[in-house]
Amino acid sequence: MTSPTATLLISCPDQQGLVAKIANFIYANGGNVVHADQHRDEPSELFLSRIEWQLAGFNLTRELIGPAFDSIAKPLGATWQLHFSDVVPRMALWVSKQNHCLLDLLWRHQAGELAAEIPLIVSNHETLQPIAEQFNIAFHHIPITKATKSEQEAKQLALLKEHAIDVVVLAKYMQILSPDFLSQFPQVINIHHSFLPAFVGANPYHRAYERGVKIIGATGHYVTSDLDAGPIIEQDVVRVSHRDQVSDLIRKGKDLERVVLARAVRLHLQNRVLVYGNRTVVFA
């Protein structure tokens, strides 16, 4: 899309006329819809929608769109988000020692696949600092111990505020974020192998090999205070066989983690993910 667009993500109790009311708001103000999708969640009786329209020729300024739509949304009991395509999100990458997801995201960003700015990389180890220097991105080493966790998370939060970060991506950051951190900064995306909860803890691929699994996978999800149980954005799997050794499982798992995390990040940056409860609708 060459000209800027606005995107509304909406969820509300399902009722008659919702599509018409939302579309009429755009039509009445001179807008041209370019994408529209909706879903009704039967168990919760929720209506969920993503609608995108061109800003060229729209009668309302950007500052007025939100207040004007809110007058429609409130009587519907709706929650909503408004995004503009030419406002580039600012993303921080957090890592520990593994480099495969970090490098993949940086290469994709360099190739123009990810519409975001990456002003900083944060790590609890110094191992990957040369990669940050290679891509000319500020690297912040913030080691974490049980005794210093609260103090160091405060430093991390200050960094996010200083750099106006919109979303944090845990590209194999091997630390658990505290509930207090997440209450102050909830926009966090994580990647993990899909053995959880069956193979929790260390060396999951070794344990999967011992059990003779036939499928391995990866899951990209939002982070919540419930460990590895946040709303899922993207998943994928690959088959393995009796001929595969532990090293093969690890290699295939890393490949999946790269791809699944990149997909999850891209969907988030494109404002295609709507969270409700502990589930998501992904308007792909």
Side-chain angles (χ1 to χ4, degrees):
M1 191 66 62
T2 55
S3 61
T5 62
T7 299
L8 271 171
L9 291 170
I10 311 151
S11 65
C12 66
D14 192 28
Q15 52 206 280
Q16 287 186 335
L18 287 172
V19 174
K21 287 179 180 178
I22 296 167
N24 187 63
F25 167 76
I26 297 168
Y27 170 75
N29 288 289
N32 180 44
V33 173
V34 291
H35 296 291
D37 200 354
Q38 59 270 335
H39 171 68
R40 185 184 191 274
D41 184 72
E42 293 291 341
S44 62
E45 297 185 342
L46 271 180
F47 170 84
L48 306 113
S49 180
R50 178 187 188 272
I51 188 163
E52 183 178 2
W53 70 95
Q54 291 175 324
L55 286 170
F58 199 61
N59 297 331
L60 297 175
T61 64
R62 299 185 187 210
E63 295 76 19
L64 293 178
I65 295 174
F69 183 75
D70 197 46
S71 65
I72 297 172
K74 280 184 177 178
L76 301 176
T79 58
W80 55 276
Q81 307 167 33
L82 177 64
H83 303 278
F84 300 106
S85 63
D86 56 355
V87 176
V88 181
R90 293 172 63 80
M91 178 170 68
L93 304 180
W94 289 22
V95 293
S96 288
K97 292 183 177 180
Q98 297 182 55
N99 66 8
H100 59 288
C101 285
L102 174 65
L103 282 169
D104 185 78
L105 290 173
L106 292 174
W107 285 331
R108 291 177 188 274
H109 179 260
Q110 191 176 70
E113 292 185 24
L114 302 176
E117 296 177 6
I118 306 176
L120 74 156
I121 295 170
V122 174
S123 180
N124 56 325
H125 296 278
E126 294 179 295
T127 309
L128 302 182
Q129 183 168 353
I131 293 177
E133 293 171 352
Q134 176 187 344
F135 284 86
N136 197 30
I137 298 174
F139 183 89
H140 297 268
H141 175 222
I142 304 180
I144 303 283
T145 67
K146 187 175 181 180
T148 65
K149 189 176 185 68
S150 178
E151 175 188 348
Q152 298 297 73
E153 283 193 340
K155 291 181 182 178
Q156 291 170 331
L157 286 166
L159 267 179
L160 298 180
K161 183 176 181 180
E162 176 188 346
H163 291 273
I165 299 299
D166 298 298
V167 60
V168 167
V169 176
L170 306 183
K172 304 301 290 184
Y173 179 69
M174 311 309 287
Q175 288 285 324
I176 297 172
L177 302 181
S178 71
D180 181 60
F181 179 98
L182 292 170
S183 68
Q184 298 182 64
F185 195 95
Q187 289 288 82
V188 183
I189 297 172
N190 188 35
I191 185 70
H192 71 67
H193 53 83
S194 286
F195 298 130
L196 296 171
F199 297 101
V200 299
N203 301 317
Y205 291 105
H206 292 75
R207 297 171 65 191
Y209 175 79
E210 292 166 1
R211 288 289 303 275
V213 302
K214 304 304 183 222
I215 292 176
I216 61 173
T219 299
H221 66 98
Y222 290 113
V223 178
T224 66
S225 56
D226 294 325
L227 180 62
D228 292 326
I232 293 169
I233 308 170
E234 177 66 9
Q235 292 180 298
D236 207 346
V237 296
V238 65
R239 296 198 65 85
V240 296
S241 80
H242 58 278
R243 297 186 186 278
D244 287 316
Q245 301 299 310
V246 172
S247 59
D248 297 308
L249 268 65
I250 292 173
R251 172 179 52 81
K252 291 181 178 182
K254 285 184 175 181
D255 284 346
L256 274 179
E257 288 175 346
R258 292 184 185 98
V259 172
V260 170
L261 181 59
R263 289 178 191 162
V265 170
R266 186 182 298 111
L267 288 165
H268 175 87
L269 294 175
Q270 293 176 345
N271 304 306
R272 296 185 179 277
V273 186
L274 186 51
V275 177
Y276 65 108
N278 201 44
R279 301 187 64 186
T280 61
V281 168
V282 179
F283 298 108

